[in-house]
């Protein structure tokens, strides 16, 4: 029986199990069994025997190590665990959990930090891209308390700033993987639907709410009709096939539950959030609802950078949805209205070159422990 240390951390509005790479076997083929064991996945490995698909892919793993690459401090390898198959998928990254990388590295001595503000350069193994994480250290540990309250969370925290450097093409190698800013997707009995497929931090398909039988202001799954959800899953699946993630689009519901993201967008409107607070039309550039196997309660952080970039580039679905005067200049800020509130994405962009996307998140260690693992 082997004991493997791990830490459970909240990053942004997500949570994940973090491992130090040094505590895992050198053979990465052995990692999946460890990841399944710590999460109790899938049926037959400690989880329920009759596991059903979750509405959202929420089982996440991160592996962190000091970086030996010139110019980098830390390396971050993200895995989305499939709750049905127990397979670890590292074909995408997680923007929310990126916010926990710096604090974890600081608290575990994986990078040199000082009291006060610190910035680390992180190499994302998934995307082969760099992001900067800026956070605060107090009394030798990453500061968790502060006054930044993210929509969708009940607790405020210390700010963690994420600057994603040249985030375009992290999965596909191209900002627009299909070579088009606007694709027409054949959805069978539903007809053709226009979508923008953009890969920026994570790949995401963007469709107009009116085209899929939605308003773009929905707050819960019950507000989405069965036909609309069927159509949405078809669009997401066919986008997965376009990206080469699956051979047949129907497979995406089981074998590619995390990427691509799917965003349903509508023009800015005034609405009440899931907690009853008012979002004012003038305060957002557009409204968006993220769909995986169900409606996301907020909006995925990496997907927000992609959607914001699409809103700044002429010829996309979002270009037509954002009716307000578009921000100009090299630095722009796009505010997205989602079910729990808003997410703001400052961008540094020149034409179709996304130089940097920025997010403000928070992070907090929840608990640490040891996994008792017996090799299969």
């Amino acid at each position: 029986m082997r004991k493997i240390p791990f830490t459970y951390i909240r990053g942004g509005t997500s949570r994940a199990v973090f491992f130090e790479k040094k505590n895992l076997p050198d053979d990465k083929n052995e990692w999946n069994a460890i990841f399944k064991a710590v999460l109790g996945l899938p049926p037959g490995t400690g989880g329920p025997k009759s596991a059903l698909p979750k509405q959202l892919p929420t089982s996440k793993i991160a592996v962190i190590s000091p970086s030996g690459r010139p110019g980098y401090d830390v390396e971050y390898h993200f895995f989305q665990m499939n709750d049905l198959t127990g397979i670890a998928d590292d074909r995408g990254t997680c923007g929310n959990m990126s916010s926990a990388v710096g604090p974890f590295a600081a608290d575990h001595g994986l990078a040199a930090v000082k009291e006060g503000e610190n910035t680390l350069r992180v190499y994302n193994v998934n995307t082969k891209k760099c992001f900067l994480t800026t956070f605060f250290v107090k009394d030798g540990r990453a500061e968790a308390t502060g006054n930044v309250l993210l929509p969708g969370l009940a607790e405020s925290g210390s700010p963690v700033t994420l600057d994603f450097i040249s985030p375009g093409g992290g999965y596909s190698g191209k900002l627009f993987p299909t070579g088009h800013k606007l694709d027409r997707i054949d959805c069978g009995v539903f007809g053709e639907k226009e979508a923008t497929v953009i890969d920026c931090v994570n790949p995401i398909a963007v469709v107009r709410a009116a085209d899929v039988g939605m308003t773009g202001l929905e707050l819960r799954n019950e507000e989405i009709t069965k036909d609309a959800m069927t159509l949405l899953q078809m669009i997401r699946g066919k986008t997965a096939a376009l990206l080469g993630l699956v051979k047949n689009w129907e497979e995406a519901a089981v074998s590619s539950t995390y990427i691509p993201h799917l965003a349903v967008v509508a023009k800015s409107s005034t609405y009440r959030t899931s907690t009853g607070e008012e979002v004012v039309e003038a305060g957002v550039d557009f409204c968006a609802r993220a769909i995986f196997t169900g409606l996301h309660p907020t909006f995925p952080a990496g997907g927000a950078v992609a959607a914001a970039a699409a809103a700044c580039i002429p010829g996309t679905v979002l270009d037509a949805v954002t009716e307000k005067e578009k921000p100009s200049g090299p630095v722009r800020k796009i505010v997205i209205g989602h079910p729990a509130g808003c997410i703001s994405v400052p961008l540094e962009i020149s034409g179709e070159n996304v130089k940097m996307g920025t997010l403000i998140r928070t992070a907090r260690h929840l608990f640490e422990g040891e996994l008792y693992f017996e090799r299969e």
Side-chain angles (χ1 to χ4, degrees), residues 243-276:
L243 292 168
L245 291 159
V246 295
K247 291 183 179 179
N248 302 305
W249 72 263
E250 296 90 346
E251 299 171 11
V254 173
S255 60
S256 190
T257 57
Y258 184 62
I259 58 169
H261 300 347
L262 176 62
V264 178
V265 299
K267 67 178 183 178
S268 58
S269 298
T270 297
Y271 65 95
R272 293 282 177 183
T273 70
S274 53
T275 55

PDB file of all heavy atoms in Angstrom, residues 243-276:
ATOM      1  N   LEU A 243     -12.984  19.242 -34.636  1.00  0.00           N
ATOM      2  CA  LEU A 243     -11.688  19.455 -33.992  1.00  0.00           C
ATOM      3  C   LEU A 243     -10.862  18.171 -33.905  1.00  0.00           C
ATOM      4  O   LEU A 243      -9.714  18.200 -33.450  1.00  0.00           O
ATOM      5  CB  LEU A 243     -11.897  20.021 -32.585  1.00  0.00           C
ATOM      6  CG  LEU A 243     -12.464  21.439 -32.505  1.00  0.00           C
ATOM      7  CD1 LEU A 243     -12.884  21.762 -31.076  1.00  0.00           C
ATOM      8  CD2 LEU A 243     -11.447  22.452 -33.005  1.00  0.00           C
ATOM      9  N   GLY A 244     -11.450  17.049 -34.304  1.00  0.00           N
ATOM     10  CA  GLY A 244     -10.734  15.785 -34.235  1.00  0.00           C
ATOM     11  C   GLY A 244     -10.724  15.161 -32.853  1.00  0.00           C
ATOM     12  O   GLY A 244      -9.948  14.238 -32.585  1.00  0.00           O
ATOM     13  N   LEU A 245     -11.598  15.635 -31.980  1.00  0.00           N
ATOM     14  CA  LEU A 245     -11.660  15.093 -30.623  1.00  0.00           C
ATOM     15  C   LEU A 245     -12.381  13.753 -30.589  1.00  0.00           C
ATOM     16  O   LEU A 245     -12.136  12.917 -29.721  1.00  0.00           O
ATOM     17  CB  LEU A 245     -12.366  16.084 -29.693  1.00  0.00           C
ATOM     18  CG  LEU A 245     -11.605  17.376 -29.401  1.00  0.00           C
ATOM     19  CD1 LEU A 245     -12.550  18.468 -28.919  1.00  0.00           C
ATOM     20  CD2 LEU A 245     -10.531  17.120 -28.365  1.00  0.00           C
ATOM     21  N   VAL A 246     -13.323  13.565 -31.495  1.00  0.00           N
ATOM     22  CA  VAL A 246     -14.069  12.314 -31.623  1.00  0.00           C
ATOM     23  C   VAL A 246     -14.218  11.986 -33.104  1.00  0.00           C
ATOM     24  O   VAL A 246     -14.127  12.868 -33.965  1.00  0.00           O
ATOM     25  CB  VAL A 246     -15.471  12.413 -30.969  1.00  0.00           C
ATOM     26  CG1 VAL A 246     -15.357  12.607 -29.463  1.00  0.00           C
ATOM     27  CG2 VAL A 246     -16.290  13.541 -31.595  1.00  0.00           C
ATOM     28  N   LYS A 247     -14.470  10.719 -33.396  1.00  0.00           N
ATOM     29  CA  LYS A 247     -14.703  10.317 -34.784  1.00  0.00           C
ATOM     30  C   LYS A 247     -16.141  10.606 -35.198  1.00  0.00           C
ATOM     31  O   LYS A 247     -16.401  11.076 -36.303  1.00  0.00           O
ATOM     32  CB  LYS A 247     -14.377   8.837 -34.957  1.00  0.00           C
ATOM     33  CG  LYS A 247     -12.894   8.508 -34.850  1.00  0.00           C
ATOM     34  CD  LYS A 247     -12.633   7.037 -35.112  1.00  0.00           C
ATOM     35  CE  LYS A 247     -11.142   6.725 -35.025  1.00  0.00           C
ATOM     36  NZ  LYS A 247     -10.879   5.273 -35.258  1.00  0.00           N
ATOM     37  N   ASN A 248     -17.073  10.277 -34.315  1.00  0.00           N
ATOM     38  CA  ASN A 248     -18.485  10.499 -34.572  1.00  0.00           C
ATOM     39  C   ASN A 248     -19.038  11.439 -33.519  1.00  0.00           C
ATOM     40  O   ASN A 248     -18.735  11.294 -32.324  1.00  0.00           O
ATOM     41  CB  ASN A 248     -19.257   9.177 -34.539  1.00  0.00           C
ATOM     42  CG  ASN A 248     -18.729   8.171 -35.541  1.00  0.00           C
ATOM     43  OD1 ASN A 248     -18.641   8.472 -36.730  1.00  0.00           O
ATOM     44  ND2 ASN A 248     -18.341   7.001 -35.068  1.00  0.00           N
ATOM     45  N   TRP A 249     -19.862  12.399 -33.930  1.00  0.00           N
ATOM     46  CA  TRP A 249     -20.286  13.446 -33.001  1.00  0.00           C
ATOM     47  C   TRP A 249     -21.011  12.903 -31.791  1.00  0.00           C
ATOM     48  O   TRP A 249     -20.933  13.484 -30.695  1.00  0.00           O
ATOM     49  CB  TRP A 249     -21.134  14.483 -33.728  1.00  0.00           C
ATOM     50  CG  TRP A 249     -22.523  14.046 -34.117  1.00  0.00           C
ATOM     51  CD1 TRP A 249     -22.942  13.568 -35.319  1.00  0.00           C
ATOM     52  CD2 TRP A 249     -23.681  14.092 -33.279  1.00  0.00           C
ATOM     53  NE1 TRP A 249     -24.283  13.296 -35.302  1.00  0.00           N
ATOM     54  CE2 TRP A 249     -24.770  13.617 -34.066  1.00  0.00           C
ATOM     55  CE3 TRP A 249     -23.923  14.483 -31.966  1.00  0.00           C
ATOM     56  CZ2 TRP A 249     -26.070  13.512 -33.560  1.00  0.00           C
ATOM     57  CZ3 TRP A 249     -25.218  14.385 -31.457  1.00  0.00           C
ATOM     58  CH2 TRP A 249     -26.275  13.899 -32.249  1.00  0.00           C
ATOM     59  N   GLU A 250     -21.697  11.761 -31.941  1.00  0.00           N
ATOM     60  CA  GLU A 250     -22.447  11.208 -30.801  1.00  0.00           C
ATOM     61  C   GLU A 250     -21.534  10.802 -29.646  1.00  0.00           C
ATOM     62  O   GLU A 250     -21.961  10.738 -28.488  1.00  0.00           O
ATOM     63  CB  GLU A 250     -23.268   9.996 -31.241  1.00  0.00           C
ATOM     64  CG  GLU A 250     -24.363  10.299 -32.253  1.00  0.00           C
ATOM     65  CD  GLU A 250     -23.884  10.190 -33.698  1.00  0.00           C
ATOM     66  OE1 GLU A 250     -22.644  10.141 -33.913  1.00  0.00           O
ATOM     67  OE2 GLU A 250     -24.736  10.157 -34.596  1.00  0.00           O
ATOM     68  N   GLU A 251     -20.258  10.538 -29.955  1.00  0.00           N
ATOM     69  CA  GLU A 251     -19.316  10.090 -28.924  1.00  0.00           C
ATOM     70  C   GLU A 251     -18.968  11.193 -27.927  1.00  0.00           C
ATOM     71  O   GLU A 251     -18.512  10.908 -26.812  1.00  0.00           O
ATOM     72  CB  GLU A 251     -18.028   9.595 -29.581  1.00  0.00           C
ATOM     73  CG  GLU A 251     -18.196   8.415 -30.516  1.00  0.00           C
ATOM     74  CD  GLU A 251     -16.924   8.124 -31.283  1.00  0.00           C
ATOM     75  OE1 GLU A 251     -15.874   8.700 -30.921  1.00  0.00           O
ATOM     76  OE2 GLU A 251     -16.969   7.344 -32.241  1.00  0.00           O
ATOM     77  N   ALA A 252     -19.158  12.455 -28.319  1.00  0.00           N
ATOM     78  CA  ALA A 252     -18.723  13.573 -27.474  1.00  0.00           C
ATOM     79  C   ALA A 252     -19.418  13.572 -26.118  1.00  0.00           C
ATOM     80  O   ALA A 252     -18.835  13.977 -25.110  1.00  0.00           O
ATOM     81  CB  ALA A 252     -18.970  14.893 -28.186  1.00  0.00           C
ATOM     82  N   ALA A 253     -20.673  13.121 -26.071  1.00  0.00           N
ATOM     83  CA  ALA A 253     -21.430  13.129 -24.813  1.00  0.00           C
ATOM     84  C   ALA A 253     -20.806  12.229 -23.756  1.00  0.00           C
ATOM     85  O   ALA A 253     -21.062  12.394 -22.559  1.00  0.00           O
ATOM     86  CB  ALA A 253     -22.877  12.707 -25.073  1.00  0.00           C
ATOM     87  N   VAL A 254     -19.962  11.284 -24.195  1.00  0.00           N
ATOM     88  CA  VAL A 254     -19.344  10.354 -23.257  1.00  0.00           C
ATOM     89  C   VAL A 254     -17.825  10.511 -23.219  1.00  0.00           C
ATOM     90  O   VAL A 254     -17.218  10.529 -22.149  1.00  0.00           O
ATOM     91  CB  VAL A 254     -19.713   8.890 -23.607  1.00  0.00           C
ATOM     92  CG1 VAL A 254     -18.930   7.909 -22.746  1.00  0.00           C
ATOM     93  CG2 VAL A 254     -21.202   8.670 -23.428  1.00  0.00           C
ATOM     94  N   SER A 255     -17.207  10.673 -24.394  1.00  0.00           N
ATOM     95  CA  SER A 255     -15.744  10.625 -24.446  1.00  0.00           C
ATOM     96  C   SER A 255     -15.062  11.978 -24.567  1.00  0.00           C
ATOM     97  O   SER A 255     -13.836  12.061 -24.513  1.00  0.00           O
ATOM     98  CB  SER A 255     -15.289   9.728 -25.609  1.00  0.00           C
ATOM     99  OG  SER A 255     -15.762  10.239 -26.840  1.00  0.00           O
ATOM    100  N   SER A 256     -15.832  13.059 -24.731  1.00  0.00           N
ATOM    101  CA  SER A 256     -15.228  14.395 -24.760  1.00  0.00           C
ATOM    102  C   SER A 256     -16.179  15.377 -24.092  1.00  0.00           C
ATOM    103  O   SER A 256     -16.714  16.288 -24.720  1.00  0.00           O
ATOM    104  CB  SER A 256     -14.925  14.826 -26.203  1.00  0.00           C
ATOM    105  OG  SER A 256     -14.135  15.995 -26.219  1.00  0.00           O
ATOM    106  N   THR A 257     -16.381  15.181 -22.804  1.00  0.00           N
ATOM    107  CA  THR A 257     -17.394  15.954 -22.077  1.00  0.00           C
ATOM    108  C   THR A 257     -16.941  17.357 -21.705  1.00  0.00           C
ATOM    109  O   THR A 257     -17.763  18.201 -21.364  1.00  0.00           O
ATOM    110  CB  THR A 257     -17.806  15.209 -20.788  1.00  0.00           C
ATOM    111  OG1 THR A 257     -16.638  14.978 -19.979  1.00  0.00           O
ATOM    112  CG2 THR A 257     -18.456  13.876 -21.106  1.00  0.00           C
ATOM    113  N   TYR A 258     -15.630  17.610 -21.773  1.00  0.00           N
ATOM    114  CA  TYR A 258     -15.118  18.902 -21.314  1.00  0.00           C
ATOM    115  C   TYR A 258     -14.867  19.887 -22.443  1.00  0.00           C
ATOM    116  O   TYR A 258     -15.246  21.054 -22.367  1.00  0.00           O
ATOM    117  CB  TYR A 258     -13.839  18.690 -20.506  1.00  0.00           C
ATOM    118  CG  TYR A 258     -13.288  19.958 -19.902  1.00  0.00           C
ATOM    119  CD1 TYR A 258     -14.039  20.681 -18.971  1.00  0.00           C
ATOM    120  CD2 TYR A 258     -12.025  20.426 -20.248  1.00  0.00           C
ATOM    121  CE1 TYR A 258     -13.549  21.842 -18.414  1.00  0.00           C
ATOM    122  CE2 TYR A 258     -11.522  21.583 -19.680  1.00  0.00           C
ATOM    123  CZ  TYR A 258     -12.291  22.292 -18.771  1.00  0.00           C
ATOM    124  OH  TYR A 258     -11.794  23.445 -18.224  1.00  0.00           O
ATOM    125  N   ILE A 259     -14.185  19.438 -23.483  1.00  0.00           N
ATOM    126  CA  ILE A 259     -13.986  20.310 -24.635  1.00  0.00           C
ATOM    127  C   ILE A 259     -14.568  19.629 -25.868  1.00  0.00           C
ATOM    128  O   ILE A 259     -14.583  18.400 -25.951  1.00  0.00           O
ATOM    129  CB  ILE A 259     -12.503  20.687 -24.866  1.00  0.00           C
ATOM    130  CG1 ILE A 259     -11.633  19.443 -25.064  1.00  0.00           C
ATOM    131  CG2 ILE A 259     -11.985  21.524 -23.739  1.00  0.00           C
ATOM    132  CD1 ILE A 259     -10.235  19.770 -25.554  1.00  0.00           C
ATOM    133  N   PRO A 260     -15.111  20.426 -26.783  1.00  0.00           N
ATOM    134  CA  PRO A 260     -15.134  21.889 -26.738  1.00  0.00           C
ATOM    135  C   PRO A 260     -16.213  22.413 -25.790  1.00  0.00           C
ATOM    136  O   PRO A 260     -17.191  21.721 -25.496  1.00  0.00           O
ATOM    137  CB  PRO A 260     -15.487  22.266 -28.183  1.00  0.00           C
ATOM    138  CG  PRO A 260     -16.378  21.135 -28.623  1.00  0.00           C
ATOM    139  CD  PRO A 260     -15.773  19.907 -27.999  1.00  0.00           C
ATOM    140  N   HIS A 261     -16.011  23.641 -25.296  1.00  0.00           N
ATOM    141  CA  HIS A 261     -17.090  24.340 -24.612  1.00  0.00           C
ATOM    142  C   HIS A 261     -18.105  24.781 -25.667  1.00  0.00           C
ATOM    143  O   HIS A 261     -17.804  24.862 -26.854  1.00  0.00           O
ATOM    144  CB  HIS A 261     -16.568  25.591 -23.898  1.00  0.00           C
ATOM    145  CG  HIS A 261     -15.511  25.316 -22.859  1.00  0.00           C
ATOM    146  ND1 HIS A 261     -15.225  24.064 -22.373  1.00  0.00           N
ATOM    147  CD2 HIS A 261     -14.666  26.166 -22.204  1.00  0.00           C
ATOM    148  CE1 HIS A 261     -14.266  24.150 -21.466  1.00  0.00           C
ATOM    149  NE2 HIS A 261     -13.902  25.412 -21.348  1.00  0.00           N
ATOM    150  N   LEU A 262     -19.310  25.058 -25.212  1.00  0.00           N
ATOM    151  CA  LEU A 262     -20.338  25.605 -26.093  1.00  0.00           C
ATOM    152  C   LEU A 262     -20.951  26.819 -25.425  1.00  0.00           C
ATOM    153  O   LEU A 262     -21.386  26.745 -24.271  1.00  0.00           O
ATOM    154  CB  LEU A 262     -21.425  24.567 -26.373  1.00  0.00           C
ATOM    155  CG  LEU A 262     -22.619  25.039 -27.209  1.00  0.00           C
ATOM    156  CD1 LEU A 262     -22.181  25.478 -28.594  1.00  0.00           C
ATOM    157  CD2 LEU A 262     -23.675  23.940 -27.307  1.00  0.00           C
ATOM    158  N   ALA A 263     -20.957  27.953 -26.120  1.00  0.00           N
ATOM    159  CA  ALA A 263     -21.529  29.186 -25.569  1.00  0.00           C
ATOM    160  C   ALA A 263     -22.749  29.588 -26.397  1.00  0.00           C
ATOM    161  O   ALA A 263     -22.676  29.673 -27.621  1.00  0.00           O
ATOM    162  CB  ALA A 263     -20.504  30.311 -25.589  1.00  0.00           C
ATOM    163  N   VAL A 264     -23.850  29.814 -25.705  1.00  0.00           N
ATOM    164  CA  VAL A 264     -25.070  30.327 -26.319  1.00  0.00           C
ATOM    165  C   VAL A 264     -25.142  31.805 -25.967  1.00  0.00           C
ATOM    166  O   VAL A 264     -25.178  32.160 -24.782  1.00  0.00           O
ATOM    167  CB  VAL A 264     -26.309  29.583 -25.790  1.00  0.00           C
ATOM    168  CG1 VAL A 264     -27.580  30.149 -26.405  1.00  0.00           C
ATOM    169  CG2 VAL A 264     -26.191  28.090 -26.073  1.00  0.00           C
ATOM    170  N   VAL A 265     -25.138  32.677 -26.969  1.00  0.00           N
ATOM    171  CA  VAL A 265     -24.983  34.107 -26.704  1.00  0.00           C
ATOM    172  C   VAL A 265     -26.178  34.908 -27.203  1.00  0.00           C
ATOM    173  O   VAL A 265     -26.876  34.517 -28.144  1.00  0.00           O
ATOM    174  CB  VAL A 265     -23.683  34.650 -27.349  1.00  0.00           C
ATOM    175  CG1 VAL A 265     -22.467  33.946 -26.763  1.00  0.00           C
ATOM    176  CG2 VAL A 265     -23.714  34.480 -28.871  1.00  0.00           C
ATOM    177  N   ALA A 266     -26.397  36.027 -26.543  1.00  0.00           N
ATOM    178  CA  ALA A 266     -27.480  36.950 -26.906  1.00  0.00           C
ATOM    179  C   ALA A 266     -27.029  38.366 -26.594  1.00  0.00           C
ATOM    180  O   ALA A 266     -26.084  38.580 -25.822  1.00  0.00           O
ATOM    181  CB  ALA A 266     -28.753  36.615 -26.135  1.00  0.00           C
ATOM    182  N   LYS A 267     -27.698  39.333 -27.165  1.00  0.00           N
ATOM    183  CA  LYS A 267     -27.329  40.722 -26.928  1.00  0.00           C
ATOM    184  C   LYS A 267     -27.511  41.064 -25.449  1.00  0.00           C
ATOM    185  O   LYS A 267     -28.247  40.400 -24.716  1.00  0.00           O
ATOM    186  CB  LYS A 267     -28.169  41.658 -27.792  1.00  0.00           C
ATOM    187  CG  LYS A 267     -29.647  41.695 -27.438  1.00  0.00           C
ATOM    188  CD  LYS A 267     -30.380  42.688 -28.333  1.00  0.00           C
ATOM    189  CE  LYS A 267     -31.862  42.784 -27.943  1.00  0.00           C
ATOM    190  NZ  LYS A 267     -32.574  43.772 -28.781  1.00  0.00           N
ATOM    191  N   SER A 268     -26.851  42.116 -25.001  1.00  0.00           N
ATOM    192  CA  SER A 268     -26.904  42.523 -23.599  1.00  0.00           C
ATOM    193  C   SER A 268     -28.332  42.849 -23.190  1.00  0.00           C
ATOM    194  O   SER A 268     -29.101  43.443 -23.952  1.00  0.00           O
ATOM    195  CB  SER A 268     -25.996  43.732 -23.364  1.00  0.00           C
ATOM    196  OG  SER A 268     -26.383  44.810 -24.192  1.00  0.00           O
ATOM    197  N   SER A 269     -28.695  42.426 -21.990  1.00  0.00           N
ATOM    198  CA  SER A 269     -30.040  42.655 -21.458  1.00  0.00           C
ATOM    199  C   SER A 269     -29.946  42.825 -19.950  1.00  0.00           C
ATOM    200  O   SER A 269     -28.977  42.404 -19.314  1.00  0.00           O
ATOM    201  CB  SER A 269     -30.970  41.473 -21.761  1.00  0.00           C
ATOM    202  OG  SER A 269     -31.142  41.287 -23.141  1.00  0.00           O
ATOM    203  N   THR A 270     -30.957  43.419 -19.382  1.00  0.00           N
ATOM    204  CA  THR A 270     -31.083  43.486 -17.932  1.00  0.00           C
ATOM    205  C   THR A 270     -31.804  42.228 -17.454  1.00  0.00           C
ATOM    206  O   THR A 270     -32.837  41.853 -18.013  1.00  0.00           O
ATOM    207  CB  THR A 270     -31.868  44.732 -17.505  1.00  0.00           C
ATOM    208  OG1 THR A 270     -31.134  45.908 -17.910  1.00  0.00           O
ATOM    209  CG2 THR A 270     -32.077  44.771 -16.001  1.00  0.00           C
ATOM    210  N   TYR A 271     -31.249  41.560 -16.444  1.00  0.00           N
ATOM    211  CA  TYR A 271     -31.877  40.330 -15.943  1.00  0.00           C
ATOM    212  C   TYR A 271     -31.490  40.111 -14.476  1.00  0.00           C
ATOM    213  O   TYR A 271     -30.577  40.764 -13.956  1.00  0.00           O
ATOM    214  CB  TYR A 271     -31.465  39.119 -16.785  1.00  0.00           C
ATOM    215  CG  TYR A 271     -29.997  38.761 -16.715  1.00  0.00           C
ATOM    216  CD1 TYR A 271     -29.528  37.794 -15.829  1.00  0.00           C
ATOM    217  CD2 TYR A 271     -29.074  39.379 -17.562  1.00  0.00           C
ATOM    218  CE1 TYR A 271     -28.177  37.460 -15.780  1.00  0.00           C
ATOM    219  CE2 TYR A 271     -27.726  39.057 -17.516  1.00  0.00           C
ATOM    220  CZ  TYR A 271     -27.289  38.090 -16.620  1.00  0.00           C
ATOM    221  OH  TYR A 271     -25.945  37.765 -16.567  1.00  0.00           O
ATOM    222  N   ARG A 272     -32.184  39.203 -13.836  1.00  0.00           N
ATOM    223  CA  ARG A 272     -31.875  38.796 -12.472  1.00  0.00           C
ATOM    224  C   ARG A 272     -31.020  37.538 -12.491  1.00  0.00           C
ATOM    225  O   ARG A 272     -31.287  36.614 -13.249  1.00  0.00           O
ATOM    226  CB  ARG A 272     -33.163  38.520 -11.684  1.00  0.00           C
ATOM    227  CG  ARG A 272     -34.014  39.762 -11.438  1.00  0.00           C
ATOM    228  CD  ARG A 272     -33.436  40.597 -10.314  1.00  0.00           C
ATOM    229  NE  ARG A 272     -34.207  41.834 -10.113  1.00  0.00           N
ATOM    230  CZ  ARG A 272     -33.887  42.760  -9.231  1.00  0.00           C
ATOM    231  NH1 ARG A 272     -32.820  42.598  -8.452  1.00  0.00           N
ATOM    232  NH2 ARG A 272     -34.603  43.852  -9.112  1.00  0.00           N
ATOM    233  N   THR A 273     -29.995  37.498 -11.664  1.00  0.00           N
ATOM    234  CA  THR A 273     -29.115  36.335 -11.609  1.00  0.00           C
ATOM    235  C   THR A 273     -29.764  35.215 -10.807  1.00  0.00           C
ATOM    236  O   THR A 273     -30.857  35.362 -10.256  1.00  0.00           O
ATOM    237  CB  THR A 273     -27.773  36.697 -10.962  1.00  0.00           C
ATOM    238  OG1 THR A 273     -27.985  36.942  -9.559  1.00  0.00           O
ATOM    239  CG2 THR A 273     -27.146  37.916 -11.610  1.00  0.00           C
ATOM    240  N   SER A 274     -29.073  34.104 -10.716  1.00  0.00           N
ATOM    241  CA  SER A 274     -29.567  32.954  -9.962  1.00  0.00           C
ATOM    242  C   SER A 274     -29.695  33.250  -8.476  1.00  0.00           C
ATOM    243  O   SER A 274     -30.385  32.527  -7.750  1.00  0.00           O
ATOM    244  CB  SER A 274     -28.642  31.752 -10.176  1.00  0.00           C
ATOM    245  OG  SER A 274     -27.294  32.095  -9.895  1.00  0.00           O
ATOM    246  N   THR A 275     -29.041  34.314  -8.006  1.00  0.00           N
ATOM    247  CA  THR A 275     -29.167  34.708  -6.597  1.00  0.00           C
ATOM    248  C   THR A 275     -30.050  35.946  -6.427  1.00  0.00           C
ATOM    249  O   THR A 275     -30.129  36.508  -5.343  1.00  0.00           O
ATOM    250  CB  THR A 275     -27.778  34.981  -5.986  1.00  0.00           C
ATOM    251  OG1 THR A 275     -27.094  35.961  -6.776  1.00  0.00           O
ATOM    252  CG2 THR A 275     -26.959  33.710  -5.930  1.00  0.00           C
ATOM    253  N   GLY A 276     -30.691  36.361  -7.509  1.00  0.00           N
ATOM    254  CA  GLY A 276     -31.648  37.459  -7.423  1.00  0.00           C
ATOM    255  C   GLY A 276     -31.086  38.844  -7.608  1.00  0.00           C
ATOM    256  O   GLY A 276     -31.822  39.833  -7.522  1.00  0.00           O
TER     257      GLY A 276
END
